[in-house]
Amino acid sequence: MINTNKILKCIGSLACTTMQVMALGLGSTGFALGQDSLYIGDGSDGSVKRFNAVTGAYLGAYVPPNTNLKLRGPMGLLFDNENLLVSNQNVDTSVTGEIFQYSLVNGQLQQTVIVKRNTPTSPAVPRGIVLWKDAFFVAEMISEPQKNATTPGRLLKYTRGGQLIGAFVPPAGTFTSGAEFHPRGVVIGPDGLLYVSNYDHLDTGLGGHVLRFNPNTGQFIDVFINSVGGGACSCTNELNRPEGLVFGPDGKLYITSFRADSSDTDKILIFQGPNGRNPGAYVDRIDLDVVGQPRAYAQALLFGPNGYLFVPITANGPDTGSVRRYDLTTKQYSNFVAPYAIGGPLQSGWYLTFGKTDPHTLTYP
């Protein structure tokens, strides 16, 4: 018999296990009937941590750090129905990346390898992941199996079962001035095209692109945003080392961007979407930190309940480990999850998903 009092007590103490939450008869991606959960990969211990999507209350590790096949650098993650897909980069190791799937079966978390490491079809350095129909795309930042940073990456397409069916790159002549293809974030846009953020200068760390591909064929379409990089904040040309990118409820494109130098800020840049008057044009920005103060940058971002923008913060400052929830009307934020320094559970939160996040467009219902 289910001990309901014990389960309710664990909820009150924010220390529920996955099985206890499931015992309430709730879905694996929901905290309570009609509610949702937020999931964030934590690179510090190789876990995926879970939070109440409304209150931010910590619900424990959905994927614990002691799984049989350990996560070493969880990157892109999304739910395909009740199955959580995670791109595992295997950071600080000599092995390539891989794609895991986690499923709850009779209240027990089961791990399946969808794409194995160290095979000809493995993603060497996987980052973002997104579904498309019965397939999924992985941004492979570096394609050389020994993770040589000078080797350009690819956009990889797999069947849902993990069979590689395409590897795509922009055509010669797409970039100038020594820029290369090192994709990081991926998302399906409102026009049905695949948008890819590109960290094009690993040597200088300045500049970046957003490229578009046809998700059906893998054909390169165009350069949607081209930034030469810098810190003067035009801000069109300050898209440095972009990674996470999502479309907001307003149809605009939001992208994480890193500072050029110590006189600059880490920020989120906002561009017009494909249905705007000037598609790809710079619109606005949200500064994440202040010049001269501790840094607070973000690798990824995602829209969630009530149109709020959720941003996990990493760096070495006092805000590290927090998850900010931004009101786009005021650009003000509250700490949805407290920083690690004052008791928050995250140390290195990067990619995130809600249980109800659309795995193609990354939008929230």
Side-chain angles (χ1 to χ4, degrees):
M1 180 180 295
I2 297 172
N3 188 335
T4 304
N5 290 331
K6 184 175 181 180
I7 294 172
L8 292 176
K9 183 178 179 180
C10 88
I11 293 174
S13 66
L14 311 184
C16 285
T17 65
T18 296
M19 193 166 184
Q20 284 172 321
V21 174
M22 287 296 294
L24 288 174
L26 315 174
S28 66
T29 58
F31 173 73
L33 188 62
Q35 294 186 355
D36 194 7
S37 295
L38 171 64
Y39 303 79
I40 305 177
D42 190 342
S44 68
D45 61 1
S47 68
V48 176
K49 294 183 167 68
R50 181 180 183 185
F51 304 85
N52 182 293
V54 176
T55 67
Y58 180 47
L59 305 180
Y62 184 76
V63 178
N66 58 348
T67 52
N68 181 38
L69 297 172
K70 183 176 175 61
L71 283 171
R72 299 183 184 276
M75 297 295 166
L77 62 163
L78 54 82
F79 272 97
D80 179 15
N81 295 316
E82 297 293 301
N83 303 304
L84 177 66
L85 270 65
V86 182
S87 65
N88 181 34
Q89 189 170 304
N90 281 319
V91 297
D92 300 325
T93 72
S94 60
V95 300
T96 67
E98 56 207 329
I99 308 298
F100 290 150
Q101 175 176 290
Y102 299 90
S103 308
L104 279 170
V105 179
N106 297 323
Q108 298 293 327
L109 191 68
Q110 294 189 359
Q111 181 184 42
T112 305
V113 181
I114 300 298
V115 180
K116 295 182 179 180
R117 67 177 72 175
N118 291 343
T119 70
T121 62
S122 304
V125 180
R127 303 292 276 214
I129 181 173
V130 70
L131 287 189
W132 176 250
K133 298 181 179 178
D134 57 351
F136 62 89
F137 285 93
V138 177
E140 183 188 47
M141 186 174 171
I142 297 167
S143 60
E144 209 276 329
Q146 278 69 50
K147 305 181 181 180
N148 187 331
T150 63
T151 306
R154 301 174 297 175
L155 179 63
L156 303 180
K157 186 177 184 180
Y158 296 89
T159 66
R160 185 58 184 81
Q163 178 183 357
L164 182 66
I165 53 176
F168 310 104
V169 298
T174 299
F175 306 125
T176 58
S177 303
E180 296 180 332
F181 187 48
H182 296 284
R184 303 225 281 183
V186 285
V187 65
I188 299 295
D191 53 0
L193 296 178
L194 178 64
Y195 287 69
V196 181
S197 62
N198 183 45
Y199 181 171
D200 54 353
H201 279 285
L202 297 185
D203 51 353
T204 67
L206 299 179
H209 296 86
V210 175
L211 311 176
R212 294 196 292 186
F213 292 79
N214 182 322
N216 290 312
T217 65
Q219 178 185 4
F220 173 75
I221 301 299
D222 60 14
V223 176
F224 188 69
I225 298 171
N226 178 22
S227 174
V228 299
C233 207
S234 36
C235 271
T236 302
N237 285 323
E238 206 183 343
L239 187 62
N240 301 312
R241 310 185 292 286
E243 182 141 4
L245 72 169
V246 291
F247 287 92
D250 55 7
K252 297 183 178 70
L253 181 59
Y254 293 72
I255 313 174
T256 59
S257 180
F258 295 80
R259 74 181 193 181
D261 51 41
S262 59
S263 65
D264 191 18
T265 60
D266 300 288
K267 58 184 69 68
I268 295 168
L269 294 182
I270 308 169
F271 298 85
Q272 286 193 18
N275 298 321
R277 179 174 297 181
N278 297 298
Y282 167 74
V283 175
D284 204 352
R285 76 178 192 266
I286 300 172
D287 288 314
L288 299 176
D289 49 28
V290 178
V291 174
Q293 299 297 315
R295 295 184 68 185
Y297 50 78
Q299 300 286 156
L301 71 175
L302 193 67
F303 282 92
N306 300 313
Y308 288 114
L309 179 62
F310 292 76
V311 185
I313 298 298
T314 53
N316 295 314
D319 289 341
T320 296
S322 67
V323 178
R324 295 178 178 177
R325 182 173 62 181
Y326 279 90
D327 182 332
L328 295 185
T329 302
T330 63
K331 294 186 184 177
Q332 300 300 306
Y333 71 87
S334 60
N335 276 334
F336 187 70
V337 175
Y340 181 73
I342 59 172
L346 286 168
Q347 294 187 58
S348 184
W350 280 33
Y351 281 81
L352 66 167
T353 186
F354 291 91
K356 295 181 181 179
T357 297
D358 188 294
H360 309 82
T361 62
L362 306 185
T363 55
Y364 197 80

